[in-house]
Structure formats: structure tokens, C-alpha cells
Amino acid sequence: MITRRSALIVLAGAALPGGACAENPAPDGDSIPKPLSFGVAQFPSNLDADVLALMASYGEGDSQTKFVIEFQSESHGTFRHVPGSHPARFFEELGKTLMADARRLSDEKQETLPFDTVFLGPPTIQSPGGGYGGAPGDWYTTKLFLGQDQSELYFNFNLVSGLAEFGIKDEDYGNAVLSELSKVIW
């Protein structure tokens, strides 16, 4: 289902210079870890019809992690806490993806965590070997900026398949990203 918000995302991506494609690179051997994949489902936002709200889930049963990702504009969004989440395995795997070497989770717990974002182009395809771009498709590619130091990670999602992933931007951000996300995913 395409909403006004989805159309806004497409228009914002098309406005990027030079038909920009996602800079989320394809993995190069073992040097860049594979992104962490999880499910997403779009649902109506209680706040505003123009907000794109996604329920994210990773794992199953007693070890399932859930959180909400809301895009409130082309440049801002919020993570939302979902009660009953069990994120131990999620953070273990995300730490590997982000190459975090000192995996300390935050003691601070919040219901929401704001972020800045940039859409990296119009919806595109996912290459068989990883990476994005080259033709129109169903994958939205974004870069998220978390916390005061603006730690970065890639967040890519496909509303048709219900799949999403977090990917490494730079290993220097791994520890900070884990700490920031653990404030709201608990």
C-alpha cells in the first residue's frame, strides 16, 4: 500500500542530484559484515497520516525483539519502545554487523529515541551480492544518524516483501549505535 508518506519519500529520493543510488556498498569479501535482516510491517500512525510507521521484529517466541520506526519527515524520525521485547540475541547479532568491539548497552531507558535521516535515492533493487541501485525497485535505502554525536548506520526497507536491515556505515560508530538503540529497544 502506497500512502502519501510513501509518495513523499519517492519524490524526495528522486530530487537527489544525479539520480543518486544508495551508497550502502556491496559486501567486499569478509571485510564488511552482512547486514542484520529483520521483518517490518507498515501500520497506521496514531500521530499523523503522513507519518510512515513500521513495526520491526527480529526472532521468534521468547527471544523476539520488537520496536517501531517512524519517519515523520524526509529528515527526521523516531524509534519507539515496544513492551515485552527480548533483545539480547538482536543486540548480539547487531554488534557483529556493526563491528562493535566494546558492546556496552545503555542503562538509560527511553520510550522514544529521535534520529535524523537521509533517503539515499528513489526506491531501487537489491543486488544479488548485496548493495543497492541500478534499477527501480521496492527497496528504500536510508542512512540514520543517532545521538548527539550523530553515529551513523544504514537502514534499508522493503514495504512489499516486509523485509528490512541494518547495515554498517563505519565501524567507528558500532559501539555508539548499539548504546543509542539500547535506550529504546529493551
Side-chain angles (χ1 to χ4, degrees), residues 69 71 79 115-118 142-146 150-155 166 169 177 181:
I69 303 168
F71 290 95
F79 284 97
F115 61 84
D116 293 326
T117 188
V118 62
T142 73
K143 191 183 332 178
L144 306 182
F145 304 87
L146 304 174
Q150 296 286 283
S151 299
E152 301 176 23
L153 79 155
Y154 291 113
F155 171 63
F166 284 133
K169 165 60 176 107
V177 167
L181 287 177

Side-chain angles (χ1 to χ4, degrees), residues 12-35:
L16 291 174
C21 66
E23 61 181 84
N24 195 359
D28 179 24
D30 291 333
S31 62
I32 298 177
K34 286 186 173 185

Side-chain angles (χ1 to χ4, degrees), residues 12-174:
L16 291 174
C21 66
E23 61 181 84
N24 195 359
D28 179 24
D30 291 333
S31 62
I32 298 177
K34 286 186 173 185
L36 178 62
S37 297
F38 50 93
V40 290
Q42 186 175 356
F43 68 95
S45 171
N46 295 335
L47 303 174
D48 185 340
D50 289 333
V51 170
L52 175 62
L54 305 173
M55 173 62 77
S57 61
Y58 176 83
E60 296 178 2
D62 291 340
S63 64
Q64 187 175 44
T65 304
K66 288 187 174 185
F67 54 96
V68 173
I69 303 168
E70 292 180 350
F71 290 95
Q72 294 142 348
S73 72
E74 302 84 31
S75 59
H76 299 290
T78 301
F79 284 97
R80 293 197 175 279
H81 172 72
V82 173
S85 191
H86 303 281
R89 169 110 187 183
F90 173 79
F91 280 118
E92 178 183 327
E93 295 303 316
L94 185 58
K96 293 175 189 175
T97 293
L98 300 176
M99 300 176 68
D101 57 2
R103 299 179 191 170
R104 279 182 263 147
L105 304 182
S106 177
D107 291 331
E108 182 181 344
K109 301 302 177 202
Q110 303 172 185
E111 291 298 316
T112 62
L113 179 73
F115 61 84
D116 293 326
T117 188
V118 62
F119 283 82
L120 301 175
T124 189
I125 61 170
Q126 183 179 36
S127 303
Y132 296 90
D138 297 319
W139 280 92
Y140 293 90
T141 56
T142 73
K143 191 183 332 178
L144 306 182
F145 304 87
L146 304 174
Q148 291 180 340
D149 61 355
Q150 296 286 283
S151 299
E152 301 176 23
L153 79 155
Y154 291 113
F155 171 63
N156 307 309
F157 62 98
N158 184 322
L159 298 174
V160 175
S161 69
L163 296 174
E165 62 185 24
F166 284 133
I168 187 171
K169 165 60 176 107
D170 185 314
E171 66 186 275
D172 291 341
Y173 296 126

